[in-house]
Amino acid sequence: AKIFAYSIRKDEAPYVEEWKKAHPDVEVEYTDALLTPENANLAKGADGVVTYQQLPYKADTVEALHEAGISKWSLRNIGIDNIDLKKAKELGFTLTNVPVYSPNAIAEHAIVQAARILRQDKRMDDKMARGDMRWAPTIGREVRDQTFGIIGTGHIGRVFMDLVEAFGAKIIAYDKFHNDEVEKKGYYVDSLDELYAQADVISLHVPSLPENIHMINDESIAKMKDDVVIMNVSRGDLIDTDALLRGLDSGKIFGAVLDTYEDEVGIFNANWDQKGVPDARLDDLIHRDNVLVTPHTAFYTTHAVREMVMQAFDNNLLMIQGKEPNTPVTL
Ligand code: COI
């Protein structure tokens, strides 16, 4: 069997080598280049491909991969919102993702950022950098005094819930699909409106499905409590950025934690040090003292990256062997 992998970063290569060592019968080749229609032919002769990227896999990319003779495709990440799934289905692809590489990576990031925004740490850091060491008015809110509204109770939402629980905060949750354990704890509210009305901190843990896009907008923000904190470690397009900026400008929103941004593709995971951030809204958000922006790095831990590589290659090999992969994507 032969597997070809795209966009293997320096920090992933050791794990690819580890997987190779454990599978001496499998030929593994890889490149650091992203999969594009132009280089899909690199995979020719392989039995399957392993990829990860935030750039879209449009119909032309899927077609090029098909023309290279590939039908077994394994993603190293969770999200499948950047793939032309219709085209992949039409061309007979079987697809896998890695839905549980490390929910803790994202949830730990979220709880740390939640505590930081509530303590006004960025403002205090700015003051310290200027030599202003006065306490007031940079007073903190304790995590335990907040009601956390967790939207989406999948793997990540539930680990986040455990961490919030450990701080002693009150939790309410919303999801179209109820999880038994969350149900037993009595955390579910019946509607998003109820959650918006009660939550001091709202955290998003749902995928970018058409019905979720811009769920945080002027209308939903108007339903929230004053001084609400909004957190997005999921997908940028869940938030209408203009509405978020209006809510921040008016003072309705106390602060925001953003690990994703709706126009992040092509901007995050690149260096704009000399050129400047090429997006005015993002630049605005980054420079606010009550907004914590990270470039889609909540997932980016050694634990998660190793799992992403190992599980994706395992999935791909299982498909090549004609077996059921561990985490198939239903097309
Ligand atoms: C995902 O796993 O879907 C992420 O958002 C992480 C990123 C590597 C795409």
Side-chain angles (χ1 to χ4, degrees):
K2 180 176 171 185
I3 298 175
F4 190 85
Y6 285 90
S7 61
I8 295 290
R9 300 181 310 265
K10 273 203 180 76
D11 54 281
E12 292 178 295
Y15 304 126
V16 178
E17 293 300 327
E18 183 186 338
W19 193 91
K20 267 172 88 167
K21 224 182 208 163
H23 299 83
D25 301 340
V26 183
E27 198 183 331
V28 176
E29 267 182 37
Y30 55 94
T31 171
D32 59 4
L34 299 173
L35 170 62
T36 62
E38 290 72 39
N39 68 13
N41 60 337
L42 289 176
K44 239 183 205 155
D47 301 294
V49 295
V50 169
T51 71
Y52 147 70
Q53 68 195 36
Q54 278 162 279
L55 291 178
Y57 302 104
K58 294 195 184 127
D60 53 353
T61 307
V62 182
E63 264 159 17
L65 211 47
H66 175 71
E67 270 156 35
I70 301 296
S71 67
K72 297 169 177 68
W73 187 355
S74 297
L75 304 169
R76 303 200 287 282
N77 59 296
I78 307 175
I80 50 172
D81 45 310
N82 58 335
I83 302 186
D84 188 332
L85 295 172
K86 221 177 111 195
K87 182 55 80 185
K89 183 176 179 173
E90 188 186 304
L91 294 176
F93 276 90
T94 47
L95 191 67
T96 59
N97 67 345
V98 185
V100 194
Y101 48 78
S102 178
N104 300 63
I106 297 108
E108 278 186 16
H109 173 85
I111 191 66
V112 167
Q113 295 294 72
R116 289 185 65 218
I117 201 90
L118 290 165
R119 295 306 284 251
Q120 304 197 55
D121 272 354
K122 195 172 174 185
R123 287 179 174 139
M124 199 59 99
D125 288 349
D126 291 348
K127 281 167 66 175
M128 284 300 281
R130 295 194 304 271
D132 178 353
M133 302 190 192
R134 289 172 293 182
W135 300 344
T138 322
I139 194 165
R141 290 161 61 181
E142 292 186 26
V143 175
R144 65 171 172 166
D145 291 332
Q146 315 303 315
T147 294
F148 275 70
I150 297 177
I151 302 178
T153 55
H155 294 284
I156 297 169
R158 295 203 309 276
V159 175
F160 182 56
M161 196 174 276
D162 291 342
L163 300 180
V164 171
E165 217 167 43
F167 275 81
K170 183 175 173 202
I171 295 166
I172 55 175
Y174 180 82
D175 200 315
K176 278 210 300 207
F177 309 99
H178 282 198
N179 170 273
D180 284 347
E181 278 162 47
V182 179
E183 185 88 82
K184 263 185 228 147
K185 288 179 171 169
Y187 287 160
Y188 284 116
V189 291
D190 295 327
S191 68
L192 281 171
D193 281 0
E194 234 174 289
L195 185 141
Y196 294 147
Q198 293 174 35
D200 301 300
V201 180
I202 293 174
S203 193
L204 302 169
H205 303 279
V206 289
S208 166
L209 296 171
E211 67 264 32
N212 295 340
I213 291 174
H214 284 190
M215 63 187 293
I216 303 301
N217 52 36
D218 287 312
E219 211 184 317
S220 49
I221 290 170
K223 292 172 183 163
M224 295 174 192
K225 290 173 82 168
D226 288 346
D227 285 323
V228 65
V229 169
I230 297 178
M231 305 188 34
N232 186 4
V233 293
S234 183
R235 280 296 179 267
D237 56 13
L238 301 175
I239 296 184
D240 174 349
T241 304
D242 289 331
L244 178 73
L245 286 165
R246 281 190 285 272
L248 287 162
D249 283 340
S250 75
K252 166 96 186 172
I253 299 172
F254 180 84
V257 169
L258 307 173
D259 187 53
T260 52
Y261 166 62
E262 58 182 325
D263 298 325
E264 74 181 57
V265 171
I267 299 180
F268 282 178
N269 200 11
N271 184 4
W272 305 99
D273 188 12
Q274 299 302 318
K275 287 167 264 183
V277 177
D279 182 295
R281 294 192 305 177
L282 179 61
D283 200 45
D284 178 347
L285 288 164
I286 291 169
H287 290 98
R288 286 176 188 250
D289 63 8
N290 59 343
V291 179
L292 304 178
V293 186
T294 44
H296 209 129
T297 45
F299 86 99
Y300 192 50
T301 66
T302 49
H303 190 122
V305 170
R306 182 175 181 278
E307 283 297 315
M308 292 164 109
V309 169
M310 295 296 168
Q311 292 190 38
F313 276 87
D314 283 349
N315 270 327
N316 207 250
L317 183 58
L318 284 168
M319 287 196 285
I320 291 168
Q321 292 168 336
K323 295 178 192 156
E324 179 68 10
N326 296 319
T327 49
V329 172
T330 312
L331 291 176

